[in-house]
Every structure is written in structure tokens, then in C-alpha cells.
Amino acid sequence: MSPPASGSIDAEHPNRSQRLVARRRRNHRLEFLLGTLAVIAAVGAWAVLGGKLGSPSGADALGPGNEFRTLPTLGAPPAEPVRALTNDDPLRLWVGGDSLAGALGPALGDGAGETGIVDTRVDYKVSSGLWSDDVRDWRERAVEEMLAYRPEQVVFIVGANDTPIVNSVDGDGDGIPDWEERYAAQVDDMMRILVGSSNRSVFWLGPPTLGTQRQDKGAAEISRVMREVAQRYAPDVTYIDTYDLFSDSDGGYSDVIVDEEGTEIVARIGDGVHFTTAGAAYLARVVYRLLDTRWNLTDRADSDSPIPWSLAPGRHELVPGLDAVPAPRSYTTQTSTAPTGRTTPTSASATTTTVATASTTMPPTPSTTAPPASTVPPTTAPPPSTTVAP
């Protein structure tokens, strides 16, 4: 889906900065109106059902305070998958981004691969971002990967390394910090490439909360810009607010968060940026839930034939929080007792854990490393929520 063509706003405000101001004001008015309508609808539903609303559905998730909230996304996946998926013709999933993708991608690739109908390719670059091309030119790389792998679904996480650009300098006095217009254009370029002419489905993740006050403020501002740009590409781009997902009960940074099952987990290592194995697995489960909604993976899974994920060509560095360069989960081949007599790779672990709904499962991510002892505050995890986890 291409960004909307210029209309009355562009004609009325020929200066691009003025257009941005006008667009932001319009979006704020629209968000306020939609929020008001949503509150009215919720109150009406509560009254009709006598205060007994049903279990959450769609994009609901447990919030930091262990209460259900709407998963912070923008865009709704189609009700029906666009094509059938089989083990011989699986969904081509591409997961890219900075070092956080180096933790998320393997966790998601292992879980999605267990369905037997998802082939995941992981492409990450430590210390990369969109603001500078010094480490990697993500726009150039994305063009190459979209042509080479031809993914049908993209998951992209970036922004943590771009936080130093956020400041309040407004050289032209237009009310918008100078960094914002350029960064919005870079995000727009990347989304346009990832969506492409085939209207590819893209799950875009912003940066999570970060450990220092300056970094965290930058992450929040970058997340806001990403969300605003994603509106131009909805519904092809679904924005996942990683910042909100990793916030504590006060909306800020914490090593320890409450996951979607109501259990406290140590989600971040001591540097205040990178995920622990548990944190990456938590985010992978959130993304998997949206993948399942988009592509109906659970109902059509061929779990007898899991598909290992792969790394994109190129050199991939060690990701902080992991003890080795990510590698696909290994499988052993055994003879199936199924009537077909086919040989089926079987995982070393048969354990599964609930992910999105009572009928949606995703295998847990195998542990690759434990966070340093000094970074794991002693906590007592509360018992799992009795409410059906999202």
C-alpha cells in the first residue's frame, strides 16, 4: 500500500513542516474522537451485559498490572489468510532489525517453525539503526532481501540505537524538533520498501523501554514517530508498541516485567537494552499470536515436520545476552507411525506452552544463556493468572 497522495492539506500548507503540524493536529483530533466513541461503546456493552464482559479476544494482552488491555498495535490483520500454507509451500517469514532482532528472530523462528508451515529467515545487525547508514544501510539491505527471499510476512524491530538523535532543537521555529522530520522520512522509506508493490504484511516493532532516562525518553519519542508513520500504511503495516509491552506498572523501564500469563519475568540483561532469553521469548509469543491471527497457523499446522529457521547471508555478530551466535533448533529424524509412513523430524522437547488463546500453542524458546547473576534481582513470581492468557 502506498502512502496517500497529497490532498487538500498539502495544497493548503505547501511547506512540509507545516504539513506535518497540520497532520499531527488532525491525527490527534481523530484519536480523541475514536477514543471517546470506544469509551461510549464499552460503557454501553457493560450495561447490556450486566457488567459481565466476556473473555478478551482479538488483540488483547495482559498489562503490567496484570490486567487485560488492548495490545498496542495499529492495523488489523485480514480475517482470512491470503493463501493456503503447507509444509512443502510454507509461509516465508523474514525477521530483521538491530541486535534485538538477533534475540527475537530465533525465538520466533523456533516457535513458528514448529508449526511446519513457516520458513523463517533472520537478518540482524548489531548497533544498526535507520538514522545512520554507517553500520548498515537498512533500506538498501531490505531491497536486496525482499528480492532474494520474497517474504510474504515481515517482522522488523529497530530504533534502540537511534535514541541519541532525539533532542528539542527547532532551528526553523516550526514547532517540530529538527530530527523528527528527517527520521519520519527514513521510517517512511523503510516501510514503503518492506510493504512493496505486493502490499506485503509488515509487523513493525519500535524500541522497548531503555535503562537510562535519556535513552528511555528517546525511545518513547521514536516510538511515537513510528506509530504516526505507520498510520499511512495501515492495514499493511501493523505497529507493535514494544515500549508499552516492556513497561512496568508506572510506564517506565524495569528489568522485571509481568508477561502475558501474569508471571513476573526478568526480561532484560544488565545493560538496560537487550533481552534475556525469557524477554525475547515473551516478545516472540506476542508476535506469534498476531502471526497466528493473520495466517491461521495453529489450525493448519503440520507439527510432524518442523522447519528450522535460517540466517540471512552475511556475518552475524554475537548478540548481548546470548552466549553464542544464534543457531536454529536442531531436530532428529525419526520414523513416523502415521499411515503415510513419512519420516518426520521431531523436536528434542515435546513441551508446549499456551501463547495467544486457549487453543493456540507455541513451543517455548530453548534457553541459550542465563542473565548474569548480578542483573537478576531476587523475585518471587506470582502464580499464573487464572484468566485465559491472550
Side-chain angles (χ1 to χ4, degrees):
M1 176 178 179
S2 301
S6 299
S8 59
I9 291 181
D10 288 348
E12 183 180 347
H13 303 282
N15 179 276
R16 185 172 186 182
S17 297
Q18 290 176 312
R19 295 200 307 272
L20 285 172
V21 172
R23 184 181 297 117
R24 183 180 298 171
R25 289 172 180 168
R26 181 189 63 186
N27 289 340
H28 287 171
R29 289 195 296 268
L30 179 58
E31 290 171 359
F32 177 79
L33 176 59
L34 292 176
T36 302
L37 292 175
V39 170
I40 294 172
V43 171
W46 183 270
V48 170
L49 298 176
K52 298 181 180 180
L53 294 177
S55 298
S57 59
D60 294 326
L62 285 171
N66 200 22
E67 75 281 359
F68 273 105
R69 59 177 166 78
T70 300
L71 187 67
T73 63
L74 180 69
E80 295 294 334
V82 295
R83 73 170 180 89
L85 302 175
T86 66
N87 186 256
D88 292 331
D89 189 14
L91 171 69
R92 295 185 301 278
L93 169 65
W94 184 83
V95 183
D98 55 27
S99 55
L100 298 181
L104 168 63
L108 181 59
D110 279 337
E114 286 284 356
T115 66
I117 55 173
V118 180
D119 184 4
T120 305
R121 177 148 149 163
V122 178
D123 189 14
Y124 71 91
K125 184 66 176 177
V126 174
S127 300
S128 65
L130 294 182
W131 182 259
S132 172
D133 298 335
D134 292 345
V135 176
R136 170 171 285 181
D137 185 334
W138 267 115
R139 288 162 290 280
E140 179 179 300
R141 177 71 170 192
V143 170
E144 295 172 354
E145 282 292 283
M146 296 306 103
L147 290 174
Y149 186 58
R150 297 182 299 108
E152 300 163 279
Q153 176 69 59
V154 164
V155 174
F156 190 68
I157 180 169
V158 77
N161 295 306
D162 293 328
T163 58
I165 69 172
V166 176
N167 58 59
S168 58
V169 176
D170 179 15
D172 56 8
D174 63 355
I176 301 174
D178 295 341
W179 68 270
E180 186 173 325
E181 183 174 354
R182 176 185 168 190
Y183 194 71
Q186 292 172 318
V187 172
D188 188 285
D189 284 344
M190 190 65 183
M191 288 185 180
R192 175 178 49 80
I193 292 168
L194 294 178
V195 170
S197 59
S198 60
N199 296 91
R200 186 181 293 111
S201 175
V202 177
F203 294 165
W204 183 288
L205 291 77
T209 54
L210 297 176
T212 69
Q213 184 176 4
R214 178 178 176 81
Q215 285 179 313
D216 195 56
K217 180 181 178 181
E221 287 298 297
I222 281 176
S223 298
R224 174 184 59 78
V225 172
M226 289 178 172
R227 175 184 287 274
E228 291 177 358
V229 176
Q231 288 179 325
R232 307 172 193 172
Y233 291 90
D236 296 323
V237 173
T238 298
Y239 181 74
I240 302 175
D241 195 337
T242 319
Y243 187 94
D244 190 87
L245 288 171
F246 282 86
S247 296
D248 63 11
S249 57
D250 296 323
Y253 174 85
S254 175
D255 291 343
V256 179
I257 62 171
V258 177
D259 69 10
E260 82 284 5
E261 293 184 343
T263 302
E264 283 189 344
I265 62 170
V266 180
R268 315 295 282 279
I269 68 173
D271 64 5
V273 177
H274 294 92
F275 301 135
T276 62
T277 300
Y282 159 62
L283 184 57
R285 292 193 299 270
V286 172
V287 176
Y288 177 87
R289 179 183 176 184
L290 295 178
L291 285 174
D292 193 22
T293 300
R294 172 69 175 82
W295 294 95
N296 195 19
L297 302 179
T298 301
D299 291 344
R300 299 186 291 169
D302 182 3
S303 56
D304 287 339
S305 304
I307 302 175
W309 57 270
S310 61
L311 281 172
R315 186 174 69 90
H316 293 83
E317 309 93 333
L318 179 66
V319 176
L322 304 183
D323 58 4
V325 173
R329 182 183 299 176
S330 60
Y331 300 98
T332 57
T333 302
Q334 298 179 355
T335 301
S336 172
T337 58
T340 59
R342 64 184 291 186
T343 56
T344 59
T346 56
S347 171
S349 172
T351 306
T352 59
T353 182
T354 299
V355 179
T357 66
S359 62
T360 302
T361 59
M362 172 177 161
T365 302
S367 176
T368 55
T369 183
S374 60
T375 68
V376 183
T379 60
T380 301
S385 171
T386 57
T387 307
V388 176

